[in-house]
Amino acid sequence: MTWTEADTGILLVGVLCAMACALPGCFLLLRRMSMMGDAISHAVLPGLAIAFLISHSRASWAMFIGAAIAGILTALFTQWISKFGKVDRGAAMGIVFTTLFAIGLILIKKTADNVDLDAGCVLYGAIEFTPLDQVVLWENESSLLRVPRAALVVGGALLFNALVIGLFYKEFTLASFDPALARTHGFRPMLMHYLLMTMVAITTVASFEAVGSIIVIAMLIVPPATAFLITRNLPLLIGLSLGLAALGAILGHLFSQLIPSLIGLPETTSSGMMATMAGFLFLLVWLLGPQGLLRKSKIEEITEPGLPPKL
Amino acid sequence: MSVADLHLIASSEFFDTLIKTLFLESYNTRLVVLGTAFLGATAGIIGSFLLLRKQSLLGDALSHATLPGIGIAFAVMVALGGSGRNLPGLLLGATITGLLGVLLVLAIRRTTRLKDDAAMGIVLSVFFGLGVAILKMVQEIPGASAAGLDSFIYGKPASMIMSDLIIICVTLLLTIVICLIILKELTLLCFDDSFASTQGYPTTFLDIILMGLVTAVTVVGLQSVGLILIIALLITPPTSARFWTSDLRKMLWLSAFIGGLSGWLGASFSAFFEDLPAGAIIVITAGIIFLISMIFGPTRGVLPRYLRQRQLKRKVGRQHILRSVYEIMEAEQESHPLKNLPISLERLRDHRVWSKGELPRLIRQARSEDHLERQPSGELRLSESGFGEASRITRNHRLWELYLIKHADIAPSHVDRDADMVEHILGAEMVHQLEAELELQEHTLESPHVIENESPSHAG
């Protein structure tokens, strides 16, 4: 394989996107809501279709608003169903996202069948094509700095997430670990919940057009979960997640070029491989990390006698 | 929906065909309608256990985990010189990676600090990513036609053939038989798995059986409704059924019925909108049934629960105001037995702590129930029925207080609040038991503690 400018572009988009996802993913993990990313990324479909129906164009801003609204509605509906109907949150999430996804499939079929907007494109994205749409950042006689437009979008999402988490770090932490205490201190845990959901929705929407929602779902969950096996310290958890996310994206792109040629097949999608490599890193840490399966001594098990099996 | 669709719906021909489809008279759709209905019923039964085990999203993880299996099976079959489109082969691949994914979820949950949601999320996203990567590779294998492999993602009910129907029926029968055989064990697993394991039940093995059933229904459903929408069939019918009953057996049958109904109605409707994805129509049908169940379901539905709460609130309010009036009359009169004399609104207002607007509302309620009447002087007086009710309520309150003092060792000065929590739900039988326990037969009881004005304006 040969390294081209396109590869750099893909890598840049992938890394930025992975890091943008890993940030809110840490708090999703702590709040035991990791599946929310999966739910939101499926449920944005009707938002896209309705935005298209209203604006009659594939203008990015209309799609963005439509999908973001659909994403936040998913979080709202899930909350309502589990609160008013006293339904398990997982089940509520499952009902909301499958129903919205089904509505989205029908709307797209009805309204946008002839346009380049299909469910597959939302799910898989087309990270391979991102380098085709370049934006010139800086230009003078000697040099020219161009980046894919998608890099700006996911970079913006990363910046937004970093800003929000930076501003409300204390509130997020408290609301994640002890919502009741947060409420007594006047921090409004529900507000934090919806802010987190908004972050997830915006990140999902910013990413799917460029890279598809597979990376989003994987990077929201896998790097924070991997980091969680290594540390119990929150700042370290966030830092490690960012690093692991970036590493997963880089490895993913490299292997998407290398592996198929090794076994004599054509190149494959980078986004699928990025998710796979994030999973591979998790497997490594799971087996070999500080608490790793293969390193676990018998003494550790004796320190927790009589506990029921973890279920 | 376009104008042409509306015309179609409006025409009587549409209804004729719809009824024919619904009642399986039309040969073309009979197979599909029956197949999806049976599939919905199977998923409904298995999904009930997942729901009660609070693992509904496991179906989500599992169905995504089947994708790499489909890709690998295709590649292997092509490598062996086959066409790669052999359905049993593809489904076998799906089963293997699906099961692997579920076992990984169980393993991550048991060996790390990660919780359910993270374990499922990891398996789901990584397997799906891997699946997409593999599909992309194998689709470009020269000479092999992999077109249509991604129909597993969205499903094609219309492509169902007789052998699919037979497979679905076998799965349904197998599911029912297995569930009947190990119903007790599965019930225990769902409601108290720690207890099950202390009693020596093989919880891991039971979990694996349950997962095996989920895998079976997912793989069978892949082709007809697709891997994303089979999730809905596993989650939505059981959750809907839960609103109608709290009895596990009834819930299983009801969930199977709702799942079957969703498949039946959804597939029938989709026969008319052939350009629309049928899986999606089935899911939306299930979603509508869920919405109806959530609002009207008698056991846990939102509306019945709201009505029950309102009724209880009225009852508690009625008991509060009547007892207050009774206690004031007692304080104002020296003589025994008590005479039904009017009391002033101010006394009542100061007697206990009322929340804002509560007292006028309760007075209005008591007057409309003919318990309380307003004298021309503006004072309040109990009606005859109100007086009887008030003395009964006060007596129950004091019975309970005496019981708490005597048998629960609660100090007389603290007993009022505790009694307040329970007295509203004392039934007639309970009152008799209390009387027997306390060996009391008198018609009226003295309060075991000093009745003070609770209003803040009098405090301190």
Side-chain angles (χ1 to χ4, degrees):
Chain A
M1 64 173 275
T2 48
W3 193 264
T4 62
E5 196 193 344
D7 287 307
T8 319
I10 293 173
L11 214 53
L12 185 66
V13 175
V15 167
L16 285 177
C17 173
M19 289 167 69
C21 295
L23 266 183
C26 291
F27 291 96
L28 282 183
L29 181 83
L30 292 177
R31 308 199 62 165
R32 300 182 187 179
M33 298 189 65
S34 294
M35 295 296 272
M36 207 64 212
D38 172 49
I40 287 184
S41 57
H42 285 101
V44 293
L45 209 54
L48 294 177
I50 292 173
F52 179 82
L53 202 63
I54 293 173
S55 71
H56 289 288
S57 74
R58 277 202 71 194
S60 298
W61 61 268
M63 294 284 175
F64 187 86
I65 294 172
I69 292 175
I72 294 166
L73 280 182
T74 313
L76 262 180
F77 288 154
T78 305
Q79 188 72 21
W80 285 348
I81 290 180
S82 77
K83 186 176 157 197
F84 294 120
K86 296 189 187 296
V87 174
D88 170 48
R89 200 166 54 183
M93 207 184 278
I95 291 172
V96 171
F97 93 78
T98 50
T99 310
L100 285 178
F101 187 77
I103 294 174
L105 277 183
I106 288 183
L107 283 176
I108 282 188
K109 200 79 185 169
K110 266 297 179 208
T111 62
D113 209 14
N114 305 318
V115 201
D116 176 28
L117 173 70
D118 65 65
C121 142
V122 174
L123 281 180
Y124 316 136
I127 198 170
E128 281 72 20
F129 299 128
T130 49
L132 299 180
D133 187 3
Q134 300 261 352
V135 177
V136 177
L137 272 190
W138 179 61
E139 187 176 11
N140 64 14
E141 308 84 56
S142 57
S143 59
L144 177 69
L145 184 63
R146 293 187 305 177
V147 292
R149 201 178 54 81
L152 288 186
V153 177
V154 289
L158 174 61
L159 208 64
F160 173 77
N161 289 348
L163 212 66
V164 172
I165 288 180
L167 278 177
F168 298 105
Y169 180 73
K170 188 178 54 182
E171 286 85 348
F172 270 124
T173 313
L174 195 55
S176 303
F177 286 109
D178 195 340
L181 182 65
R183 195 177 295 116
T184 60
H185 284 257
F187 281 158
R188 306 264 210 101
M190 275 329 277
L191 199 68
M192 288 296 123
H193 171 78
Y194 285 117
L195 194 56
L196 184 61
M197 290 305 127
T198 312
M199 270 200 288
V200 175
I202 286 180
T203 315
T204 312
V205 176
S207 315
F208 74 74
E209 206 193 353
V211 298
S213 50
I214 298 169
I215 297 189
V216 180
I217 305 171
M219 294 303 178
L220 273 171
I221 305 170
V222 185
T226 314
F228 190 73
L229 295 184
I230 301 175
T231 177
R232 282 172 182 264
N233 175 318
L234 183 59
L236 203 58
L237 179 82
I238 296 176
L240 268 175
S241 307
L242 289 174
L244 285 164
L247 188 62
I250 295 171
L251 287 179
H253 183 61
L254 287 181
F255 279 85
S256 76
Q257 310 291 308
L258 282 177
I259 288 189
S261 60
L262 281 182
I263 53 176
L265 289 174
E267 289 179 1
T268 181
T269 59
S270 297
S271 47
M273 272 322 255
M274 287 178 181
T276 310
M277 290 324 288
F280 180 68
L281 291 175
F282 173 81
L283 191 69
L284 281 185
V285 172
W286 185 23
L287 296 178
L288 304 171
Q291 309 273 314
L293 274 187
L294 301 182
R295 292 173 47 159
K296 205 174 216 169
S297 60
K298 293 291 161 208
I299 300 164
E300 268 179 273
E301 284 175 15
I302 298 168
T303 53
E304 293 181 326
L307 283 181
K310 207 190 281 175
L311 292 168
Chain B
M1 206 167 274
S2 68
V3 182
D5 288 338
L6 291 177
H7 275 294
L8 182 65
I9 291 175
S11 68
S12 62
E13 193 188 342
F14 173 82
F15 281 107
D16 282 353
T17 353
L18 178 64
I19 286 166
K20 270 189 183 157
T21 313
L22 281 175
F23 292 99
L24 310 170
E25 281 171 23
S26 147
Y27 179 77
N28 293 334
T29 49
R30 188 187 296 164
L31 202 72
V32 178
V33 172
L34 270 181
T36 40
F38 285 152
L39 185 71
T42 320
I45 296 174
I46 299 169
S48 300
F49 292 110
L50 280 186
L51 175 74
L52 294 174
R53 195 112 173 70
K54 295 197 191 304
Q55 288 183 356
S56 292
L57 287 177
L58 203 73
D60 190 4
L62 195 147
S63 66
H64 284 85
T66 56
L67 199 59
I70 293 171
I72 293 172
F74 180 82
V76 168
M77 285 190 286
V78 169
L80 293 177
S83 79
R85 297 291 306 276
N86 181 313
L87 189 64
L90 293 178
L91 293 187
L92 181 69
T95 312
I96 292 172
T97 51
L99 271 180
L100 185 69
V102 174
L103 291 179
L104 271 177
V105 172
L106 293 180
I108 292 176
R109 216 171 55 191
R110 288 192 175 211
T111 59
T112 69
R113 299 187 287 134
L114 291 168
K115 297 288 180 287
D116 261 349
D117 65 311
M120 291 191 260
I122 292 167
V123 168
L124 176 151
S125 56
V126 174
F127 273 66
F128 196 63
L130 187 64
V132 170
I134 291 178
L135 276 192
K136 173 85 177 163
M137 279 191 250
V138 299
Q139 268 172 356
E140 286 169 23
I141 294 177
S145 154
L149 272 194
D150 50 2
S151 80
F152 283 113
I153 297 178
Y154 307 112
K156 271 203 175 65
S159 68
M160 202 180 274
I161 52 172
M162 198 59 198
S163 64
D164 296 330
L165 182 63
I166 293 172
I167 292 178
I168 290 175
C169 288
V170 170
T171 320
L172 176 63
L173 281 179
L174 210 66
T175 307
I176 292 178
V177 169
I178 293 180
C179 287
L180 282 181
I181 294 175
I182 55 169
L183 183 64
K184 185 182 71 181
E185 286 80 0
L186 284 179
T187 312
L188 200 54
L189 183 74
C190 291
F191 287 104
D192 197 340
D193 49 15
S194 312
F195 178 68
S197 67
T198 58
Q199 292 296 302
Y201 287 101
T203 47
T204 312
F205 179 65
L206 287 172
D207 249 344
I208 289 173
I209 291 187
L210 187 57
M211 297 317 141
L213 288 174
V214 180
T215 315
V217 72
T218 308
V219 170
V220 169
L222 272 187
Q223 208 207 353
S224 45
V225 291
L227 68 80
I228 293 172
L229 300 178
I230 184 75
I231 303 164
L233 285 185
L234 279 168
I235 301 178
T236 314
T239 318
S240 313
R242 188 70 187 87
F243 287 110
W244 298 86
T245 175
S246 289
D247 180 321
L248 178 70
R249 280 160 201 269
K250 280 186 200 152
M251 180 181 155
L252 287 174
W253 289 119
L254 197 61
S255 174
F257 174 73
I258 292 176
L261 190 70
S262 310
W264 184 39
L265 290 180
S268 304
F269 278 119
S270 65
F272 297 95
F273 307 105
E274 275 171 19
D275 54 332
L276 292 186
I281 295 183
I282 296 170
V283 172
I284 291 173
T285 314
I288 293 171
I289 296 179
F290 169 78
L291 204 63
I292 295 171
S293 305
M294 177 169 157
I295 296 173
F296 299 107
T299 308
R300 285 157 73 105
V302 174
L303 193 64
R305 238 189 25 237
Y306 169 75
L307 292 179
R308 279 199 296 271
Q309 272 168 10
R310 211 178 65 157
Q311 215 176 2
L312 183 65
K313 209 174 146 194
R314 276 180 80 98
K315 185 177 163 193
V316 169
R318 179 196 309 134
Q319 300 192 343
H320 278 162
I321 189 169
L322 290 183
R323 181 156 64 84
S324 299
V325 174
Y326 193 86
E327 283 171 357
I328 293 168
M329 291 193 319
E330 277 182 330
E332 284 180 346
Q333 296 173 35
E334 300 293 321
S335 62
H336 205 79
L338 207 60
K339 281 201 283 291
N340 187 6
L341 296 178
I343 59 158
S344 73
L345 190 59
E346 287 72 32
R347 264 316 290 271
L348 186 58
R349 194 189 59 213
D350 294 342
H351 185 70
R352 64 182 284 148
V353 184
W354 308 97
S355 62
K356 198 167 171 246
E358 189 187 9
L359 188 58
R361 182 174 58 78
L362 289 179
I363 291 177
R364 250 197 327 275
Q365 180 192 326
R367 287 179 67 190
S368 73
E369 288 170 349
D370 267 339
H371 285 145
L372 206 60
E373 40 203 45
R374 195 186 284 275
Q375 301 292 100
S377 60
E379 294 187 306
L380 294 165
R381 182 175 174 278
L382 288 171
S383 70
E384 200 152 318
S385 66
F387 186 73
E389 185 71 8
S391 70
R392 189 184 67 82
I393 290 165
T394 313
R395 185 166 185 276
N396 285 356
H397 175 75
R398 289 178 187 164
L399 262 179
W400 187 247
E401 282 183 337
L402 284 173
Y403 178 80
L404 286 179
I405 290 169
K406 195 170 168 192
H407 292 279
D409 269 344
I410 294 179
S413 54
H414 285 67
V415 83
D416 191 41
R417 187 59 53 85
D418 290 333
D420 220 23
M421 309 274 223
V422 184
E423 66 186 43
H424 307 294
I425 49 170
L426 284 182
E429 199 180 325
M430 185 68 117
V431 169
H432 287 309
Q433 274 184 21
L434 285 175
E435 282 168 347
E437 189 77 35
L438 298 164
E439 292 160 6
L440 287 170
Q441 286 306 322
E442 308 94 278
H443 189 63
T444 52
L445 286 173
E446 297 263 317
S447 177
H449 58 87
V450 186
I451 295 175
E452 292 167 29
N453 281 342
E454 289 179 7
S455 170
S457 62
H458 286 253

